[in-house]
Amino acid sequence: MMNQFVFVGKIQGIKDSESFHPVEKKTFDSGWNMTTVKFNCISGTNRIMCLVQGGKWNDEKKNVVKTIAKTVTNEDGSVTRGEKIEIPWSKRFDEKEIEKVAGYRKFVVDLGDAQMRYALQNAVKAFEDGNITDELIAKTGCNTLEDAKAALEKSMARRHVFLAESDFADFMVKVVASDKIKNTLFRISGYQEVQYSAEKDRFYVNYRVNRVDIAKEGLDEATDLSVDFYFGKNCVDDEEFDETSKGFINGYTTYWDSMTKKNGFMPMTFVVRDKAKLNVMKKRLSVDDDEIKNVGLVGEVIQGASMSAITYDDLSDEDKEDVDAGLVTLEELTAAMGGQKAGEKITEIRLKGFNARKKTVEDTTYTIDDMHPARADVNEDDDDIL
């Protein structure tokens, strides 16, 4: 299971330079075209780089959408599980074809108000059924069926669904470059992409986006990462908590290696800054010998400045003089200054808690010896070419 993320924040383009190109369109000798878009999600004090990437062949005849059909319940109550399907390239925007595909295999950019769209759908049905309410009219601002249909059509046009990741990437180039989104809060979701370099013995992590929606009203900024977490003996480290106010949970997460076509394991550490959480984790994440267990955890991706409360010592000499003379209170000054100050840069995954869908610790057949990167098969029967 791939680790999933949900970031709620603003989209910010990244400045192009000689050494870094946030938007790239490459054509390879094979005829393969690749579009790459990198942008920052600004959430609170965090600045997290996100990635959208998709490719297609120059030769249109070679392109096809390989995807998964959605699971359906038949009239007799039986369930048909989603299977691999292929959709002709020329039909990838057809509504009937899009309807066949499982939701998690679609790429979505919704630049409209989803809550208003839902209300408009209800209003259209209510007008047609003859039971429209004053509440729906007030909520949508539509007094007639024609008004509701027109508003719904306009709203639907702001929701863009793609079956090909290359189309999604091309569209996101326009979104990131638009001035209209600068002050808009988005819900950005996708999966954690992991790549391993055996030569450098190093892991590279990307936050690969597959969906972008305007955030619902009232949704708070967030940088949540749901992790499929594997752990062994003594995974909880609380030795220095009393001195540093930090504990650690050390373990691994699984990933899919596209080169070897295998699953591998990457080391992962959660930082715990709450003593109560650390104590519970030490109790729950208990393992004997060299066995490996599994549980779902949720962390907060921290990539930004640490924040701490402004104190008297942070004030200028003039402000201190005013406080000492009773001309203004410390509380009034700190409130006027925003209440908090930015400190050193922090990069960590901070534990929020268990994933409610996978909070039970489960046994596995793995041992500590299995916790390594994905490896290519080696045929021991082959002659040594040297």
Side-chain angles (χ1 to χ4, degrees), residues 20 38 86 99 105 169 202 231 246 258 263 312 327 364 377:
F20 181 81
K38 297 174 183 175
E86 292 188 359
E99 183 62 24
R105 292 301 298 264
R202 180 177 176 181
F231 60 95
K246 286 196 301 184
S258 59
N263 286 319
Y312 179 84
L327 296 173
T364 74
D377 290 329

Side-chain angles (χ1 to χ4, degrees), residues 47 56 70 83 92 102 118 124 131 151 156 166 176 198-199 238 259 276 282 292 310 329 365 381 384 386:
R47 182 187 301 267
K56 62 181 179 181
K70 65 182 180 182
E83 298 179 343
R92 68 191 188 279
Y118 181 71
V124 169
N131 55 11
M156 291 299 294
S166 58
V176 174
E199 181 181 353
D238 62 351
M259 298 297 291
K282 191 169 185 178
I292 294 293
I310 297 173
T329 67
T365 58
D381 295 329
D384 187 345
L386 299 180

Side-chain angles (χ1 to χ4, degrees), residues 39-81:
F39 62 89
N40 286 326
C41 171
I42 308 299
S43 182
T45 61
N46 294 305
R47 182 187 301 267
I48 304 171
M49 190 168 72
C50 299
L51 171 70
V52 177
Q53 189 175 65
K56 62 181 179 181
W57 295 104
N58 265 337
D59 184 355
E60 293 284 316
K61 296 178 182 178
K62 297 173 69 173
N63 290 317
V64 65
V65 177
K66 296 182 179 182
T67 187
I68 305 292
K70 65 182 180 182
T71 298
V72 296
T73 302
N74 304 308
E75 292 183 359
D76 61 1
S78 62
V79 176
T80 301
R81 299 290 180 186

Side-chain angles (χ1 to χ4, degrees), residues 232-238 248-250 278 281-282 285:
K233 189 176 181 180
N234 299 324
C235 68
V236 178
D237 178 359
D238 62 351
F248 304 93
I249 302 175
N250 301 304
L278 193 62
M281 287 296 170
K282 191 169 185 178
L285 306 187

Side-chain angles (χ1 to χ4, degrees), residues 277-290:
K277 287 183 180 180
L278 193 62
N279 289 339
V280 171
M281 287 296 170
K282 191 169 185 178
K283 179 181 178 182
R284 295 283 293 277
L285 306 187
S286 176
V287 174
D288 296 324
D289 301 323
D290 65 344

Side-chain angles (χ1 to χ4, degrees), residues 25-260:
K25 293 193 176 186
K26 290 184 177 180
T27 299
F28 297 90
D29 293 339
S30 62
W32 182 254
N33 288 326
M34 180 73 76
T35 298
T36 301
V37 191
K38 297 174 183 175
F39 62 89
N40 286 326
C41 171
I42 308 299
S43 182
T45 61
N46 294 305
R47 182 187 301 267
I48 304 171
M49 190 168 72
C50 299
L51 171 70
V52 177
Q53 189 175 65
K56 62 181 179 181
W57 295 104
N58 265 337
D59 184 355
E60 293 284 316
K61 296 178 182 178
K62 297 173 69 173
N63 290 317
V64 65
V65 177
K66 296 182 179 182
T67 187
I68 305 292
K70 65 182 180 182
T71 298
V72 296
T73 302
N74 304 308
E75 292 183 359
D76 61 1
S78 62
V79 176
T80 301
R81 299 290 180 186
E83 298 179 343
K84 293 181 180 180
I85 59 173
E86 292 188 359
I87 294 174
W89 191 251
S90 61
K91 295 184 177 181
R92 68 191 188 279
F93 294 115
D94 290 1
E95 288 298 329
K96 289 184 179 179
E97 300 297 332
I98 292 174
E99 183 62 24
K100 295 177 183 177
V101 177
Y104 71 94
R105 292 301 298 264
K106 299 174 183 177
F107 305 94
V108 178
V109 181
D110 194 343
L111 301 176
D113 186 331
Q115 291 172 306
M116 176 57 73
R117 186 179 303 126
Y118 181 71
L120 287 168
Q121 289 171 334
N122 288 337
V124 169
K125 188 176 187 307
F127 272 120
E128 291 176 338
D129 294 344
N131 55 11
I132 188 67
T133 63
D134 291 339
E135 182 183 0
L136 264 180
I137 290 175
K139 188 170 186 178
T140 61
C142 298
N143 295 304
T144 66
L145 174 60
E146 290 70 25
D147 288 344
K149 283 185 174 180
L152 179 58
E153 183 179 355
K154 186 177 181 180
S155 177
M156 291 299 294
R158 296 181 66 81
R159 186 175 188 270
H160 307 270
V161 181
F162 306 99
L163 299 185
E165 200 165 10
S166 58
D167 294 323
F168 176 52
D170 288 338
F171 190 78
M172 282 302 297
V173 172
K174 301 175 184 177
V175 172
V176 174
S178 174
D179 290 334
K180 296 179 180 179
I181 68 163
K182 283 187 176 180
N183 297 313
T184 303
L185 198 67
F186 286 95
R187 182 185 186 274
I188 304 162
S189 55
Y191 64 94
Q192 188 185 53
E193 179 186 65
V194 177
Q195 297 173 329
Y196 174 71
S197 169
E199 181 181 353
K200 297 181 179 179
D201 189 23
R202 180 177 176 181
F203 290 93
Y204 298 88
V205 175
N206 290 312
Y207 293 102
R208 189 81 175 253
V209 178
N210 54 31
R211 186 176 182 118
V212 176
D213 302 86
I214 289 181
K216 293 180 181 179
E217 186 177 349
L219 193 62
D220 294 329
E221 292 183 320
T223 55
D224 291 350
L225 177 67
S226 297
V227 177
D228 190 25
F229 191 68
Y230 293 80
F231 60 95
K233 189 176 181 180
N234 299 324
C235 68
V236 178
D237 178 359
D238 62 351
E239 288 187 6
E240 298 182 3
F241 189 90
D242 291 338
E243 294 181 21
T244 64
S245 297
K246 286 196 301 184
F248 304 93
I249 302 175
N250 301 304
Y252 306 86
T253 190
T254 187
Y255 71 97
W256 174 253
D257 190 296
S258 59
M259 298 297 291
T260 63

Side-chain angles (χ1 to χ4, degrees), residues 293-307:
K293 293 189 177 184
N294 174 237
V295 71
L297 298 179
V298 178
E300 181 181 4
V301 181
I302 305 295
Q303 291 185 12
S306 61
M307 301 299 291

